[in-house]
Amino acid sequence: MATYHLIEDDDRILVGLSGGKDSLLLTELLAKRAKIDHPRFSVEALHVRMENIHYETDTSYLQQFCDSLGIRLHVKTTRFEVESTDKSESSDKSEPSAQSSESSESSARLRKQKQPCFLCSWNRRKVMFNLAQELDCNKIALGHHQDDIIHTTLLNLCFQSRFGTMPALLKMRKMPLTIIRPLCLIPEADIKTYAELQGYQKQQKICPYETNSHRTDIKQIYDRLEQLNPEVRYSIWSALETDNKLIEE
């Protein structure tokens, strides 16, 4: 809060509560911090259920969790369809010589958008953005920790040809909302330890796509980097700060 000025007086914050350890910790910390007079802000939580992806959290547990913290929980259900590749795309692929680099990039972007992880995330965010505006919230808090942000940096370097990440603070351009990541300075190992001490209930079913991504590969690479240099976390973080990648206004 002090380093990146994530929360200010009169903020109305909607927390994304998936039911994983990160979002549970974020909800708990913000709810407790909101009871302190400065800064003065309010917190509500949102749990989005995805009909066609078989991961599940006990909604009654989340309700009890939020009740114990004195915050309101909203539960919304949505779904998405994975679009199939149409014939025109197949025709384009059969004639690579006629395809410009720009159309190739567009096709790659389209293929990415059809991936379940992208579609699931996009639809959950859409529900969250809509509810935030209905509730007159000006900020959305997400539970990404420091490891998530560092792994995203490596993913972007390796697969997107750019140096960037999920910022700790991101002001949306098309709507009056700001995304904040208050756990950005906390390593995942610390969250795991705290979750065990608090006895957080685990998700009933994990996402079937959870380990089927380059993020799993990057995590293994990062673990190797930490073996080579135990200080690599701070080197990457310092580079992100130096290049102003952690705040986008």
Side-chain angles (χ1 to χ4, degrees):
M1 288 172 63
T3 303
Y4 302 114
H5 308 290
L6 301 186
I7 301 175
E8 300 170 321
D9 279 333
D10 301 320
D11 278 346
R12 292 177 56 85
I13 302 173
L14 182 63
V15 184
L17 179 57
S18 68
K21 66 184 188 313
D22 308 327
S23 65
L24 288 169
L25 174 63
L26 176 61
T27 303
E28 178 182 339
L29 293 182
L30 285 179
K32 291 180 175 179
R33 189 64 179 79
K35 295 177 181 178
I36 300 174
D37 286 341
H38 183 74
R40 183 178 58 254
F41 64 94
S42 62
V43 181
E44 298 192 35
L46 167 65
H47 176 66
V48 180
R49 301 184 71 92
M50 191 63 66
E51 281 184 351
N52 56 323
I53 297 293
H54 301 292
Y55 66 90
E56 187 177 343
T57 299
D58 184 352
T59 309
S60 62
Y61 171 70
L62 297 182
Q63 187 64 64
Q64 293 169 12
F65 187 82
C66 289
D67 288 345
S68 70
L69 295 168
I71 66 172
R72 185 180 177 189
L73 172 66
H74 304 265
V75 179
K76 300 285 186 180
T77 301
T78 188
R79 63 176 290 110
F80 65 89
E81 300 296 338
V82 179
E83 299 174 15
S84 60
T85 303
D86 61 28
K87 294 180 180 178
S88 62
E89 282 186 292
S90 301
S91 174
D92 286 342
K93 289 180 181 177
S94 66
E95 299 177 14
S97 60
Q99 209 174 30
S100 68
S101 60
E102 183 177 348
S103 62
S104 296
E105 290 175 8
S106 297
S107 296
R109 200 157 45 239
L110 187 61
R111 286 195 296 273
K112 175 186 175 183
Q113 290 176 356
K114 290 176 181 176
Q115 296 301 311
C117 293
F118 176 89
L119 293 168
C120 182
S121 174
W122 191 89
N123 281 277
R124 283 188 287 110
R125 293 287 181 92
K126 181 180 178 181
V127 172
M128 179 168 280
F129 291 156
N130 288 340
L131 181 63
Q133 292 180 91
E134 287 176 23
L135 298 174
D136 199 27
C137 292
N138 65 312
K139 289 183 178 174
I140 290 175
L142 301 177
H144 298 114
H145 46 66
Q146 191 173 57
D147 292 64
D148 287 328
I149 293 173
I150 290 173
H151 294 167
T152 299
T153 304
L154 296 175
L155 276 166
N156 286 334
L157 279 171
C158 294
F159 296 100
Q160 300 294 329
S161 304
R162 67 184 182 87
F163 182 61
T165 192
M166 302 181 290
L169 183 147
L170 171 63
K171 288 191 175 181
M172 305 296 292
R173 294 186 177 90
K174 295 183 179 180
M175 56 188 74
L177 289 170
T178 298
I179 293 176
I180 59 173
R181 295 180 168 89
L183 303 184
C184 63
L185 293 175
I186 304 180
E188 183 179 20
D190 289 355
I191 298 177
K192 285 183 177 178
T193 300
Y194 186 82
E196 291 169 1
L197 290 171
Q198 291 294 91
Y200 284 167
Q201 181 174 303
K202 293 184 179 180
Q203 291 171 297
Q204 294 174 327
K205 296 178 184 177
I206 65 169
C207 174
Y209 302 100
E210 194 163 296
T211 58
N212 186 25
S213 70
H214 288 307
R215 189 168 287 274
T216 303
D217 300 328
I218 287 292
K219 184 181 185 305
Q220 294 171 354
I221 293 171
Y222 177 72
D223 290 344
R224 177 61 179 146
L225 288 174
E226 278 201 313
Q227 292 173 12
L228 293 171
N229 174 20
E231 301 295 312
V232 69
R233 169 185 306 272
Y234 308 107
S235 295
I236 295 173
W237 198 262
S238 178
L240 288 169
E241 287 193 320
T242 300
D243 214 38
N244 298 316
K245 298 299 184 183
L246 293 171
I247 296 179
E248 291 189 22
E249 296 184 290

